[in-house]
Amino acid sequence: MNRRRFLAALALCAASAAFPGAALGVKRAARPIRSAQGAPSGPLVPRKRLVVVFLRGGVDAVSVLPPCDDAFYRLARPTTALPGPGQPGGVLPLAEGFFLHPALAPLVPWYRDARLAFVQGLGTAAVIRDHDVARRVAETGLPDRPNAADGWLNRLALEIGRQQAPDKGKKPDRTVQAVALASKSPLILAGKAPVSVLPPGRFAYPPGEASLPEIAALETTLAPLYAAKGVPAGLSRSYREAVSWRRGRLAEYEREMVASRNGDPPVSRFPDLAVRLVEEFRRLPGASLGFLPFGGFDTHVAQGAATGRLSEALSHAATGLCALANGLGPAFADTVIVVVSEFGRGLLENAVGGTDNGHGGLAWLLGGAVAGGRVHGQTPSLAGRRLYRERPLPVTMDFREPLAAVITAHLGLPAEAVSRVFPGFEPRTSPQPFFTPDAGSSAPG
């Protein structure tokens, strides 16, 4: 055997273990699908509307609003930290010392026009790392009863119907208040209120999203070297065990990433389905609520930074939000779009260039009545030893706070409605920071 070749290969293996991101490949989150070229003509019936967009998998709040001025950010994320502003692929400066992921550039005009805001540090008191449990909590709105059979958006539809037909002597309101484009009836809309759930159409995710072709090729090259005569048995065994562990871990990530989608379409479908939702609002003029769920944000493997899996998913999300806002036309002034996820992601980059399930997350608020151009909530400090070692970002605000504000400040329902939509929850935050009653209706240029 060529000793020099063996030592070089051994060094390469050690380097890939010490700096896992150096050999990672980036795969596309979903096959791009051509987006619609415009919204349907004709204005919508004037009414207050709420659209909830669920990005499944756990959106990485640290990448959406990168704390690039924090030294611990780059220490914690050696390959997934974003460059600073002004650099190629660098973050986009926002007001108040905050920055935005470059893939979300289409949203900057909405932010500067005070129609887009972010709420950070959202979540539940208990740390929930399981996608299904966290999803159920987010859709039922009941952290203490995640197995409840009805969803908070359906309960909200009942409250809207109650306000439209306050006479208790009349028959229950059977107007379809909520519309969803989902692969199956979502839990958030389960309940007594009539809803319309339409299939999103055919879609497919690329296979092997958790695979790392470059690492697999490296293993193929190194395997004969570690099995060659003269290699210590312990070293050869350690190599085989490391390969087996990595393959098992990637297979586990793959199963979790598939399950986190909940059967919903990839976010690449967002622009098309946004236009379809507007069409449904036109077809059902009594509908006040919309729901759009998308998968593709469980970035355990090869997350990337300015480019890569997460960047592409965020780009589709931004394009879809703009398509929805522009498609609403004048009705955007009376609409609030809330973007949520089941939780955030951990601070530390893992051994395969991704981030694992975390705790504190982020909500995006877009609409005519939104007090935009700001980031609400407490900014977490990354320098704390406890945070850095334990990985999850903290929750500093109950995820229902901005939703409760939507119910009262935007939809105009009484405070008693909040207690029925979210039983057992009492808001601690005034709705005024999130919404301005006299917000203008013009869209950004």
Side-chain angles (χ1 to χ4, degrees), residues 95 118 126-127 234 271 306 358-359 436 438:
F118 297 94
V127 178
H359 188 32
T436 56
D438 299 326

Side-chain angles (χ1 to χ4, degrees), residues 259-281:
S260 72
R261 306 168 191 159
N262 198 44
D264 287 310
V267 70
S268 59
R269 294 294 313 278
F270 192 169
D272 297 326
L273 295 182
V275 174
R276 283 189 56 191
L277 180 64
V278 174
E279 292 174 343
E280 288 305 306
F281 280 148

Side-chain angles (χ1 to χ4, degrees), residues 90-127:
V91 298
L92 306 175
L94 297 177
E96 304 159 3
F98 290 97
F99 302 93
L100 192 68
H101 193 290
L104 298 174
L107 300 182
V108 171
W110 298 99
Y111 185 90
R112 292 177 177 167
D113 199 54
R115 296 294 176 265
L116 171 66
F118 297 94
V119 188
Q120 58 187 343
L122 291 181
T124 58
V127 178

Side-chain angles (χ1 to χ4, degrees), residues 127-129 343-347 356-360 391-393:
V127 178
I128 304 174
R129 302 288 183 83
F343 42 56
R345 307 204 70 76
L347 170 62
D356 294 329
N357 301 346
H359 188 32
R391 303 188 180 190
L393 295 175

Side-chain angles (χ1 to χ4, degrees), residues 68-154:
C68 62
D69 288 340
D70 194 314
F72 276 82
Y73 170 56
R74 302 193 186 284
L75 180 64
R77 299 193 168 191
T79 71
T80 56
L82 287 153
Q87 302 180 42
V91 298
L92 306 175
L94 297 177
E96 304 159 3
F98 290 97
F99 302 93
L100 192 68
H101 193 290
L104 298 174
L107 300 182
V108 171
W110 298 99
Y111 185 90
R112 292 177 177 167
D113 199 54
R115 296 294 176 265
L116 171 66
F118 297 94
V119 188
Q120 58 187 343
L122 291 181
T124 58
V127 178
I128 304 174
R129 302 288 183 83
D130 181 87
H131 287 285
D132 187 59
V133 176
R135 174 190 64 81
R136 294 186 65 86
V137 167
E139 295 194 42
T140 62
L142 302 172
D144 298 330
R145 292 189 287 137
N147 292 322
D150 59 338
W152 71 263
L153 206 55
N154 190 282

Side-chain angles (χ1 to χ4, degrees), residues 64-396:
V64 174
L65 298 175
C68 62
D69 288 340
D70 194 314
F72 276 82
Y73 170 56
R74 302 193 186 284
L75 180 64
R77 299 193 168 191
T79 71
T80 56
L82 287 153
Q87 302 180 42
V91 298
L92 306 175
L94 297 177
E96 304 159 3
F98 290 97
F99 302 93
L100 192 68
H101 193 290
L104 298 174
L107 300 182
V108 171
W110 298 99
Y111 185 90
R112 292 177 177 167
D113 199 54
R115 296 294 176 265
L116 171 66
F118 297 94
V119 188
Q120 58 187 343
L122 291 181
T124 58
V127 178
I128 304 174
R129 302 288 183 83
D130 181 87
H131 287 285
D132 187 59
V133 176
R135 174 190 64 81
R136 294 186 65 86
V137 167
E139 295 194 42
T140 62
L142 302 172
D144 298 330
R145 292 189 287 137
N147 292 322
D150 59 338
W152 71 263
L153 206 55
N154 190 282
R155 296 194 291 270
L156 178 56
L158 291 175
E159 292 301 315
I160 294 174
R162 180 180 286 113
Q163 295 299 310
Q164 293 177 349
D167 188 346
K168 296 182 180 180
K170 294 182 178 180
K171 295 182 179 179
D173 181 72
R174 303 305 296 173
T175 303
V176 174
Q177 298 285 356
V179 180
L181 290 162
S183 301
K184 54 187 177 183
S185 185
L187 175 59
I188 197 171
L189 286 177
K192 298 179 180 179
V195 300
S196 175
V197 180
L198 304 172
R202 300 179 63 181
F203 60 86
Y205 285 87
E209 285 192 287
S211 62
L212 296 173
E214 286 80 0
I215 293 294
L218 182 63
E219 291 172 355
T220 301
T221 300
L222 294 181
L225 301 179
Y226 277 95
K229 179 184 291 188
V231 176
L235 180 60
S236 180
R237 182 173 61 254
S238 295
Y239 173 76
R240 293 194 304 270
E241 290 174 351
V243 169
S244 177
W245 178 88
R246 182 167 52 247
R247 290 176 179 175
R249 189 62 171 162
L250 291 175
E252 183 180 330
Y253 278 148
E254 179 80 24
R255 290 190 293 269
E256 182 180 341
M257 292 165 72
V258 170
S260 72
R261 306 168 191 159
N262 198 44
D264 287 310
V267 70
S268 59
R269 294 294 313 278
F270 192 169
D272 297 326
L273 295 182
V275 174
R276 283 189 56 191
L277 180 64
V278 174
E279 292 174 343
E280 288 305 306
F281 280 148
R282 183 171 288 102
R283 188 178 69 85
L284 299 170
S288 302
L289 308 174
F291 182 64
L292 294 170
F294 301 102
F297 289 88
D298 195 18
T299 51
H300 284 288
V301 179
Q303 175 173 305
T307 60
R309 177 174 292 128
L310 178 60
S311 178
E312 184 173 359
L314 291 176
S315 177
H316 288 308
T319 304
L321 283 172
C322 290
L324 180 55
N326 290 320
L328 288 165
F332 174 78
D334 294 319
T335 302
V336 167
I337 304 165
V338 180
V339 182
V340 298
S341 194
E342 63 264 45
F343 42 56
R345 307 204 70 76
L347 170 62
L348 296 187
E349 183 179 312
N350 62 26
V352 287
T355 52
D356 294 329
N357 301 346
H359 188 32
L362 189 71
W364 316 3
L365 304 177
L366 175 65
V370 170
R374 65 185 75 176
V375 177
H376 302 278
Q378 181 179 337
T379 302
S381 172
L382 308 186
R385 178 178 297 180
R386 184 168 182 267
L387 170 63
Y388 185 74
R389 291 184 180 277
E390 294 187 2
R391 303 188 180 190
L393 295 175
V395 166
T396 55

